[in-house]
Amino acid sequence: MAQIIDGKAVSAAIKEQVRDEIARDNIKAGLAVVIVGNDPASRVYVNNKKKACEFCGIQSFEYALPEETSMQELLELIDTLNNDKNVNGILVQLPLPKQLDEKAVIERISPQKDVDAFHETNVGKIMIGNYSFLPCTPAGCMELIHSTGISVSGKECVVIGRSNIVGKPMAMLLLHENGTVTICHSRTKDLAEVCRRADILVAAVGKPNFVTADMVKEGAIVIDVGINRLENGKLCGDVKFDEVSEKAGWITPVPGGVGPMTIAVLMKNTLTAAKLQNKT
Ligand code: NDP
């Protein structure tokens, strides 16, 4: 039976570290969160980010814009935030309504304030291993892997999913720690066979119960990034938890695994941004 990796506990420890450093060094840090429209899931995420800021002693600035906001209005707000000394980090909650160009919005955020690490400049820095911010979800997954005490070095790592926000950066972070990394996607042949090679398996597919026990090596670390809402309203991951937990060595639950880590790393990134900006 797998040991459960407790994302709530690991994320709480990170937020406490951030809070303690801010209090100890009297650091002034601010995070602006921009939400456009009325997506209920986005609203929940934004509220959780606000709560985490309060806990850590980070000032939070929330900008809730109407669904019909134009590109020009949104870019003007980002320009204002880029120039606001009280704002160290800027996060635009995705997805955005259809009329808005997400890529252009992300590129408008100053790379120094891009605490999501989605800007091309930061993506490039992650690629070469010279970064200030790590993307929140993959960095959170790395923290969970570290919490097992098992080293990534030399391990077979398989990431299912190749999105810019999860799969690709996840693979890069595992590579930076000397994992032997395979990235799988919808065109991968013999997916189960590839996954069975993994000492560390990361699922970022967005399909409920996609990873079954026959895809998992005995004793593997299984990190479930998926957040899927079932018809009955319950949240479930990409991994069929009941059967995979019988076979894996370590497993993250959903909820209570990767989800809380994303926000904890966001707090860490905001503190890093504040420290870097206060230096200049
Ligand atoms: P995307 O939809 O952008 O990417 C999904 C990936 O899964 C794609 O690369 C796709 O391949 C691959 N895929 C789809 N079907 C298959 C298949 N049958 N076999 C193999 N690969 C497949 O999703 P995201 O990366 O944005 O998110 C993934 C999941 O993680 C979602 O459930 C999301 O809600 C969750 N998430 C959770 C976060 C958290 O804080 N815990 C944060 C961000 C996301 P292809 O490229 O070929 O289409």
Side-chain angles (χ1 to χ4, degrees):
M1 187 72 186
Q3 298 196 51
I4 308 293
I5 306 177
D6 184 350
K8 276 193 199 155
V10 180
S11 68
I14 293 173
K15 283 188 285 184
E16 279 164 23
Q17 279 169 18
V18 172
R19 179 195 63 187
D20 292 350
E21 187 173 343
I22 286 179
R24 188 193 65 214
D25 298 341
N26 201 14
I27 296 169
K28 204 164 160 281
L31 173 68
V33 179
V34 181
I35 176 170
V36 187
N38 307 311
D39 180 52
S42 292
R43 197 62 258 169
V44 172
Y45 293 138
V46 167
N47 287 341
N48 288 341
K49 285 165 188 172
K50 208 165 144 185
K51 270 194 232 154
C53 281
E54 274 165 25
F55 176 84
C56 294
I58 293 172
Q59 199 177 357
S60 73
F61 305 92
E62 190 187 315
Y63 296 86
L65 306 182
E67 183 82 26
E68 60 279 6
T69 299
S70 71
M71 200 54 192
Q72 194 189 339
E73 286 166 325
L74 183 54
L75 294 182
E76 276 172 12
L77 172 61
I78 292 173
D79 289 343
T80 305
L81 298 173
N82 280 340
N83 292 317
D84 185 339
K85 289 230 172 326
N86 293 317
V87 171
N88 304 109
I90 303 170
L91 181 147
V92 178
Q93 186 66 45
L94 303 178
L96 289 170
K98 284 186 196 66
Q99 76 276 15
L100 300 170
D101 176 353
E102 280 187 4
K103 193 169 176 294
V105 169
I106 289 167
E107 291 313 308
R108 191 71 159 236
I109 298 171
S110 156
Q112 286 77 29
K113 296 191 176 185
D114 168 41
V115 282
D116 258 337
F118 290 166
H119 191 285
E120 281 174 6
T121 301
N122 289 322
V123 173
K125 285 180 161 201
I126 291 156
M127 188 82 177
I128 57 176
N130 167 29
Y131 38 75
S132 307
F133 310 119
L134 290 175
C136 299
T137 301
C141 294
M142 293 306 291
E143 298 274 2
L144 293 178
I145 294 168
H146 295 156
S147 77
T148 66
I150 294 166
S151 164
V152 173
S153 185
K155 298 287 188 307
E156 286 285 343
C157 306
V158 174
V159 179
I160 321 175
R162 56 172 163 180
S163 71
N164 288 330
I165 60 166
V166 189
K168 279 188 218 165
M170 185 70 223
M172 208 47 63
L173 299 191
L174 289 163
L175 181 63
H176 287 326
E177 294 195 14
N178 302 315
T180 301
V181 185
T182 306
I183 306 175
C184 299
H185 45 78
S186 64
R187 317 280 173 87
T188 298
K189 294 212 170 73
D190 301 325
L191 180 69
E193 197 188 313
V194 179
C195 292
R196 273 197 299 273
R197 293 206 300 257
D199 302 307
I200 299 173
L201 179 64
V202 181
V205 191
K207 293 193 170 158
N209 299 319
F210 182 81
V211 175
T212 45
D214 62 308
M215 298 165 77
V216 175
K217 181 179 178 175
E218 196 84 43
I221 298 176
V222 179
I223 305 290
D224 189 352
V225 183
I227 301 181
N228 308 293
R229 178 81 58 189
L230 299 176
E231 273 175 18
N232 63 11
K234 277 193 168 173
L235 279 188
C236 112
D238 289 347
V239 175
K240 205 163 186 184
F241 185 87
D242 291 348
E243 60 177 60
V244 172
S245 59
E246 294 286 332
K247 203 168 176 192
W250 299 82
I251 190 166
T252 62
V254 177
V258 176
M261 295 303 296
T262 300
I263 294 184
V265 177
L266 176 69
M267 297 299 111
K268 205 170 155 179
N269 283 351
T270 305
L271 170 59
T272 304
K275 288 196 289 187
L276 289 172
Q277 289 159 38
N278 292 343
K279 252 196 235 166
T280 51

